[in-house]
Every structure is written in C-alpha cells, then in structure tokens.
Amino acid sequence: MSNINNLNVIADESLFTWKFKGKMFSLPVSDIDQVMIDESRELIFVLDQKEELPHRLSVISGCGEVVSTFSPPDGGQFYYMTIDAKKEVLVVCVFTEKIDGWSDWHFSFNQKDNLLLRVSPAY
C-alpha cells in the first residue's frame, strides 16, 4: 500500500493536495486535467496546462519534489492516464499519424533513465 493518500484536486484553485507518510502537501499547477497516484513507485503524475488536451506531464515525489516534466512526444498529444497491472501509471498519447498501425499509445515513465517510453498500443 502506498504512503501517498488523501489526494484532493481543487481545480478552480489550480491546486492539489495529498498526504505522504502522514504529512500534508500541496502543489499549484496550471489548468489541471488529471492527477493520479502511482502506488508501486510512490509518485504522483499530473497532466496540466490543458487547452483542448493537456500540454504537460509532471512526475512528483510523495514529498512534493518535481522529479520530471515532459512535453508530449513528437507528433503526439497527451490524452489521459490509466493504471497497469503493476499499479504503475501509464500515459496515453494520441498521434495524428499512426505508428506501427496505431494512433493511441501507452507511455511509461522510466524512473532510472528519466524518460517517457512508448510501451504498447492503447485499445
């Protein structure tokens, strides 16, 4: 079970709050779209800077440190986030041109190399 809990998104204030190991944290963001907890790695994923679709992905540690930020991959746009069987957050990106026959792809955060990697088609 994750040490991150009590996640609360306050969209009209562009703020989200959470508890990590019993201590409260908050972080302001711009035009929140979606926030998810990655239980297996104790990270928080945030899609924000939303216009039609979000333009930024941020990965935040339980204690509020920004681990990484990403723009959408070339030719793609961030779409939404989901959780895989390992309880890790995956980010779905949609592409205007198909890649290997698919327009929508799951991307995973590689924490060791600080990269966003394309892992599988999103059905």
Side-chain angles (χ1 to χ4, degrees):
M1 185 159 153
S2 177
N3 286 310
I4 301 172
N5 52 48
N6 292 17
L7 180 66
N8 184 28
V9 177
I10 309 163
D12 61 335
E13 295 180 26
S14 292
L15 179 75
F16 69 100
T17 63
W18 69 97
K19 276 188 180 178
F20 180 65
K21 296 183 177 179
K23 184 176 177 187
M24 286 298 299
F25 292 88
S26 66
L27 193 65
V29 290
S30 174
D31 298 317
I32 297 171
D33 183 63
Q34 190 178 5
V35 180
M36 292 188 84
I37 297 170
D38 185 311
E39 292 182 26
S40 67
R41 299 181 284 185
E42 295 196 333
L43 297 170
I44 300 170
F45 285 68
V46 181
L47 285 174
D48 71 337
Q49 295 185 349
K50 183 180 179 182
E51 291 174 14
E52 185 175 319
L53 292 171
H55 290 281
R56 179 173 62 186
L57 169 69
S58 299
V59 181
I60 314 293
S61 71
C63 58
E65 174 188 327
V66 177
V67 175
S68 248
T69 58
F70 298 96
S71 296
D74 289 342
Q77 293 182 302
F78 293 130
Y79 194 31
Y80 65 92
M81 295 185 290
T82 189
I83 302 282
D84 68 9
K86 297 183 291 185
K87 299 197 179 211
E88 291 183 359
V89 171
L90 297 177
V91 181
V92 175
C93 295
V94 60
F95 291 84
T96 51
E97 293 188 25
K98 290 184 178 184
I99 300 172
D100 298 332
W102 297 93
S103 296
D104 297 355
W105 284 89
H106 288 111
F107 281 74
S108 176
F109 175 59
N110 178 313
Q111 194 170 3
K112 178 183 171 202
D113 297 324
N114 200 33
L115 296 171
L116 202 54
L117 302 174
R118 181 169 55 102
V119 292
S120 64
Y123 301 98

